[in-house]
């Protein structure tokens, strides 16, 4: 048992490497932009101040949404989806066909409408729960996650019901952060590249800052666009690749409530909070989605 725990501990420690890498890059970009560009390179004070104000606005929103995505614990199924002690003991003794009969009886009073590919009740043997609609087991987090989208190594967390809004905002603000840096650095990048500015220690930081910002912007843009499409369709990444199966068969649009309501499902009813990484999703989102699917 000891080696297993040591291995688990090592895996959990190594999982933070991508997060540390992102934070180191962001920390360096902050230094390069604020100190090397704004303080040492830009001569005009008005331009310098305006750049710093907008930069810090994007920086704060980016860091806020990023760490909210990291720190939000994935939502797991409630106790009502667990089998009763007697049912669990009986389930463990029976053969697969008899086990399904037990699960079907237990799921009668639950808002569960999706099935496995073979039409069976979705059950997690590891967590020992009947899976709610859109719930999947994450082997990395070692738990069942409600409305699981994917496990993201860059935030070392599962992206799902509890933090999907934060993840989308993280992509949006990181993209804005990168494009703002690239756009404002460009003229000084050209001046350094063409030797219009003296060859100082800021040259390396400014040149490299432009390349890094442009590279990250291009890579994040495609991912952000894809997740905006998912929000509009009310799908997860898992459902985009494998349509959920209902009692009457697979239906890739089974959870769609219409574009505007799909957006509200993620960002909440109050538009004034959409741009902030605070929890605004409706608590009965899962139930409403399931009821729509049943209809």
């Amino acid at each position: 048992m000891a080696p297993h725990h040591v291995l688990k501990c090592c895996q959990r420690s190594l999982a933070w490497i991508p997060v540390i890498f992102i934070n180191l890059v962001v920390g360096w970009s902050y230094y390069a932009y604020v100190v090397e560009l704004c303080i040492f390179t830009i001569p005009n004070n008005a331009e310098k101040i305006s750049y710093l104000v907008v930069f810090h606005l994007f920086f704060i929103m980016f860091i806020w949404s990023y760490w909210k995505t990291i720190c939000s614990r994935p939502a797991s199924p409630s106790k009502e989806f667990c089998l009763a002690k007697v049912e669990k003991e009986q389930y463990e003794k029976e053969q697969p066909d008899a086990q399904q009969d037990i699960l079907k009886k237990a799921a009668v009073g639950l808002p569960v409408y999706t099935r496995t590919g073979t039409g069976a009740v979705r059950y997690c043997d590891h967590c020992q729960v009947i899976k709610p609609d859109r719930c999947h087991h994450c082997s990395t987090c070692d738990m069942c996650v409600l409305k699981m989208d994917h496990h993201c190594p860059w935030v070392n967390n599962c992206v799902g019901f509890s933090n999907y809004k934060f993840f989308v905002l993280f992509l949006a603000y990181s993209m804005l952060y990168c494009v703002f840096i690239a756009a404002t650095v460009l003229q000084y990048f050209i001046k350094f590249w063409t030797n219009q500015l003296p060859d100082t220690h800021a040259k390396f930081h400014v040149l490299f800052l432009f390349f890094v910002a442009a590279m990250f912007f291009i890579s994040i843009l495609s991912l952000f666009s894809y997740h905006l499409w998912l929000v509009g369709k009310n799908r997860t990444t898992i459902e985009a690749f494998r349509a959920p199966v209902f009692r009457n068969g697979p239906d890739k649009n089974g959870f769609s409530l219409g574009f505007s309501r799909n957006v509200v499902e993620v960002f909440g009813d109050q538009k004034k909070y959409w741009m902030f990484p605070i929890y605004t999703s409706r608590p009965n989102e899962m139930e409403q989605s399931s009821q729509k699917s049943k209809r």
Side-chain angles (χ1 to χ4, degrees):
M1 291 296 292
H4 175 73
H5 288 302
V6 172
L7 181 61
K8 276 284 186 183
C9 184
C10 291
Q11 288 176 336
R12 288 173 182 172
S13 299
L14 291 173
W16 285 101
I17 291 177
V19 176
I20 294 171
F21 171 76
I22 290 294
N23 280 275
L24 288 174
V25 172
V26 172
W28 166 78
S29 70
Y30 183 91
Y31 166 78
Y33 192 90
V34 173
V35 178
E36 299 293 346
L37 178 68
C38 291
I39 295 178
F40 292 143
T41 305
I42 299 177
N44 188 296
N45 286 332
E47 181 184 12
K48 185 183 302 185
I49 293 171
S50 62
Y51 280 7
L52 285 172
V53 169
V54 179
F55 171 83
H56 279 93
L57 177 64
F58 288 144
F59 178 79
I60 290 169
M61 297 305 293
F62 165 44
I63 294 298
W64 185 9
S65 56
Y66 180 55
W67 279 98
K68 281 287 286 185
T69 308
I70 294 173
C71 297
S72 298
R73 179 173 172 78
S76 57
S78 58
K79 292 181 180 179
E80 64 179 322
F81 290 91
C82 298
L83 294 179
K85 185 178 180 181
V86 176
E87 292 175 326
K88 190 182 296 183
E89 291 176 351
Q90 186 180 359
Y91 177 85
E92 292 172 351
K93 296 176 182 177
E94 298 291 349
Q95 296 298 315
D97 290 340
Q99 287 179 336
Q100 270 301 304
D101 291 335
I102 295 171
L103 293 178
K104 287 177 181 178
K105 290 178 182 178
V108 168
L110 297 176
V112 176
Y113 306 105
T114 53
R115 295 289 185 264
T116 65
T118 58
V121 175
R122 299 169 65 243
Y123 182 76
C124 179
D125 288 305
H126 187 80
C127 297
Q128 296 187 325
V129 294
I130 294 173
K131 292 180 182 179
D133 295 342
R134 318 187 83 174
C135 178
H136 298 274
H137 184 85
C138 176
S139 57
T140 306
C141 294
D142 197 29
M143 63 183 292
C144 281
V145 179
L146 294 181
K147 198 183 177 184
M148 180 177 171
D149 188 88
H150 69 288
H151 185 91
C152 180
W154 300 108
V155 298
N156 190 27
N157 200 1
C158 251
V159 176
F161 179 74
S162 64
N163 62 354
Y164 187 63
K165 175 191 174 182
F166 308 149
F167 177 75
V168 174
L169 289 178
F170 153 61
L171 294 178
Y173 287 121
S174 60
M175 188 179 65
L176 290 173
Y177 179 76
C178 290
V179 73
F180 176 78
I181 289 176
T184 53
V185 165
L186 180 59
Q187 60 174 311
Y188 297 98
F189 170 87
I190 295 172
K191 288 179 180 179
F192 273 122
W193 192 267
T194 56
N195 296 316
Q196 295 179 43
L197 287 175
D199 194 4
T200 64
H201 57 83
K203 181 177 181 178
F204 164 78
H205 291 282
V206 172
L207 294 178
F208 197 55
L209 184 61
F210 175 79
F211 282 121
V212 172
M215 178 186 68
F216 274 94
F217 168 72
I218 293 170
S219 60
I220 295 170
L221 176 61
S222 59
L223 184 60
F224 177 65
S225 301
Y226 175 65
H227 278 280
L228 283 184
W229 179 78
L230 290 177
V231 170
K233 297 290 186 179
N234 198 3
R235 294 179 198 167
T236 64
T237 299
I238 294 174
E239 292 162 358
F241 284 95
R242 186 175 66 250
V245 179
F246 298 91
R247 292 170 182 173
N248 57 347
D251 184 1
K252 63 181 180 180
N253 295 315
F255 292 108
S256 180
L257 304 172
F259 179 79
S260 59
R261 291 183 65 189
N262 289 344
V263 174
V264 169
E265 288 291 310
V266 175
F267 291 97
D269 295 309
Q270 301 186 54
K271 294 182 180 180
K272 61 183 179 181
Y273 296 126
W274 281 9
M275 296 296 101
F276 298 96
I278 55 178
Y279 190 77
T280 54
S281 294
R282 293 177 293 182
N284 61 341
E285 176 190 75
M286 298 296 290
E287 182 180 350
Q288 289 179 338
S289 295
S290 296
Q291 289 174 346
K292 170 64 167 58
S293 304
K294 186 181 180 182
R295 293 196 293 268

